[in-house]
Amino acid sequence: MTDSAVIDIRAVTEDDLPAWTRTWGNGYLRPYTEHSVDAIRATARQDRLIGAFDMDRCVGTYRSTPQELTVPGGAVLPVSAVSKVSVAGTHRRRGLLSRMVATDLRGAFERGEPLAVLDAAQYPLYGRYGFGPATAMAWFEIDVHRARLDPGRTADVSGVLQVDAREYLKAAPAVYERLRAVQHGALRRDEQWWLDATGQRPEGAAERPEPFFALHIDPDTGEADGLLCFSAEETWGSMLPRSPLWIRDLVAVSPRAEAALLRYAVTVDWVATVHLPYRAPDTLLPLWLGDPRAARVSALSDYMWLRVLDTPRALSARTYGVEGGLVLEVTDAAGYAAGRWSLEGGPDGASCARTGRAPDLRIDVRDLSALYLGDDSATRLAALGGTEELRPGALARADAMFRTGRRPWSPRAVLGRRYQAGAP
């Protein structure tokens, strides 16, 4: 067995890409193909690919990508988005993941990225590195026959336009950008993302059927203000249609557009069940149905995890629910976010700077990260042990400042695979 100290953690070169891609595919149970290497190569110039190499064999993979995150109040911060993390089963429990994370977080801090984000495939892994669950997601399974759409009230699909992939691609990115400007928790979608989402990227496009597309057109402006992408499968049982429909993407910038697009999906011929994944748990979508109980929660989970690296920059970038001040003593084993910080903030902006004043709260970086987008409360985190109230009333003040009127949401679409009910 090779000593873990001699296993090299380094940036991936062009020659390493096939081995790196194969190792990542093994970890995620994805067959290796030339197309998968091409897909990695297409983004490798802007991504930071890290590998763990035992002699000439790749035994660990890690990727981070420059991204942008909308925070409460609408400001956009550069972030490091982590993905494709794996360690070969032959090399587990040897510190390779810790070394790859440390390498990447150091690079993110040096590049001036105040936050790192990821989707955690396994809950226990990333808290040890200062990440905290910052958004949640709910999956809904809608019983079409129970939805009870009333033609006079809840079945209005006016403004919905069926389009092909090319028409969708022309309008959808602008719709998403309008949402991203106001939706805290949203990440940027680049051109490559949209090409993949619509099947317009040559590599691998023929491996899956093209989904269906629709837009909602604002009658006042004539412009698209909502988008819908879905897949469906013709299924029959006892001479009755029982087709499932999987919503890949549903984004709208107005309640009217959101309601119309969901109702359209629920009224597609032959569909018995609509699967609606990756929504904020407080989404209004079920309430647009005649019977909201037709939308059953099939899964509820944490989703985006966040890691604060630059405390003053991160805290001063967002707005707060009420005017107030807090002195936070942040603990961080890696050192990046650690310090005693004076936060003054409110609905119109904030400032955060190092201070020598006595702290109101002692908070671990994982808890600060979970609190940052407003999806958790300081009171809950204190009950779990990672936050300590040092001055009476500080927890209540933190709750009032950090919480947001609506929960954060990170709109995503899983491309190239079909959703299974209750199984993210």
Side-chain angles (χ1 to χ4, degrees):
M1 179 181 293
T2 306
D3 188 333
S4 60
V6 303
I7 295 177
D8 192 18
I9 305 295
R10 59 173 171 80
V12 172
T13 67
E14 169 65 26
D15 291 341
D16 296 327
L17 281 179
W20 189 95
T21 305
R22 186 183 295 278
T23 299
W24 165 71
N26 289 342
Y28 284 75
L29 304 180
R30 300 189 180 184
Y32 174 85
T33 67
E34 290 185 6
H35 289 321
S36 56
V37 179
D38 291 339
I40 296 297
R41 182 177 288 109
T43 61
R45 291 180 182 176
Q46 67 171 7
D47 293 353
R48 284 87 64 161
L49 301 184
I50 297 172
F53 293 88
D54 186 352
M55 306 294 285
D56 60 349
R57 184 178 299 275
C58 182
V59 295
T61 66
Y62 190 108
R63 181 180 80 167
S64 68
T65 303
Q67 253 289 2
E68 295 174 350
L69 175 70
T70 305
V71 303
V76 174
L77 284 178
V79 300
S80 177
V82 178
S83 64
K84 291 182 170 51
V85 180
S86 72
V87 175
T90 54
H91 287 70
R92 299 277 172 81
R93 296 177 178 83
R94 298 166 69 176
L96 301 187
L97 175 59
S98 295
R99 291 174 60 193
M100 289 191 292
V101 171
T103 297
D104 189 65
L105 291 184
R106 182 171 60 251
F109 184 79
E110 292 171 352
R111 287 187 296 269
E113 295 166 328
L115 303 167
V117 297
L118 55 81
D119 303 338
Q122 299 182 52
Y123 193 100
L125 287 182
Y126 293 99
R128 72 187 76 168
Y129 306 119
F131 287 85
T135 74
M137 69 169 179
W139 285 49
F140 293 92
E141 183 178 295
I142 301 174
D143 182 343
V144 167
H145 302 299
R146 188 177 175 179
R148 299 187 181 184
L149 297 184
D150 179 351
R153 186 174 66 89
T154 58
D156 180 16
V157 297
S158 60
V160 175
L161 180 66
Q162 299 178 55
V163 297
D164 62 21
R166 293 180 183 274
E167 292 176 280
Y168 183 84
L169 186 58
K170 289 179 182 178
V175 174
Y176 182 77
E177 283 303 302
R178 289 174 62 190
L179 176 79
R180 185 168 79 98
V182 297
Q183 178 60 63
H184 60 299
L187 295 169
R188 184 191 69 240
R189 292 176 176 178
D190 59 18
E191 181 182 7
Q192 195 71 33
W193 192 98
W194 288 106
L195 290 174
D196 198 20
T198 55
Q200 304 302 295
R201 184 169 61 85
E203 298 89 352
E207 296 176 4
R208 59 179 184 272
E210 181 179 288
F212 300 91
F213 304 98
L215 298 170
H216 183 271
I217 306 302
D218 184 337
D220 298 326
T221 67
E223 297 181 351
D225 63 351
L227 60 92
L228 172 68
C229 172
F230 66 89
S231 299
E233 179 179 287
E234 181 183 354
T235 304
W236 291 76
S238 302
M239 294 303 295
L240 294 174
R242 297 179 178 174
S243 300
L245 182 151
W246 293 271
I247 292 180
R248 295 187 177 194
D249 211 9
L250 197 168
V251 168
V253 296
S254 71
R256 175 172 56 186
E258 183 179 73
L261 288 168
L262 177 67
R263 292 164 182 168
Y264 168 74
V266 172
T267 55
V268 171
D269 286 343
W270 295 357
V271 169
T273 305
V274 171
H275 299 280
L276 177 63
Y278 291 103
R279 312 308 297 191
D282 66 342
T283 180
L284 298 178
L285 282 165
L287 301 176
W288 300 127
L289 303 174
D291 182 355
R293 291 183 182 177
R296 178 180 65 87
V297 176
S298 57
L300 181 64
S301 177
D302 57 282
Y303 188 37
M304 178 192 289
W305 287 55
L306 183 147
R307 210 283 189 196
V308 174
L309 292 167
D310 185 334
T311 301
R313 187 176 175 194
L315 293 185
S316 61
R318 59 157 291 177
T319 59
Y320 296 84
V322 298
E323 293 285 348
L326 287 166
V327 176
L328 304 174
E329 185 173 298
V330 181
T331 59
D332 181 358
Y336 299 115
R340 188 172 297 178
W341 311 98
S342 174
L343 169 65
E344 298 289 337
D348 296 326
S351 63
C352 183
R354 196 176 292 276
T355 184
R357 294 162 49 199
D360 300 313
L361 290 177
R362 180 177 295 117
I363 186 168
D364 183 74
V365 65
R366 172 177 172 167
D367 280 13
L368 180 63
S369 300
L371 188 64
Y372 181 69
L373 290 179
D375 201 43
D376 215 326
S377 76
T379 297
R380 273 174 38 93
L381 295 168
L384 293 169
T387 298
E388 180 183 1
E389 185 177 53
L390 302 177
R391 189 185 301 276
L395 287 174
R397 196 180 332 137
D399 288 344
M401 291 179 66
F402 278 88
R403 291 303 287 265
T404 55
R406 293 287 300 275
R407 297 181 70 170
W409 178 42
S410 183
R412 297 290 299 275
V414 174
L415 308 174
R417 75 177 187 189
R418 291 193 169 168
Y419 300 118
Q420 299 299 319

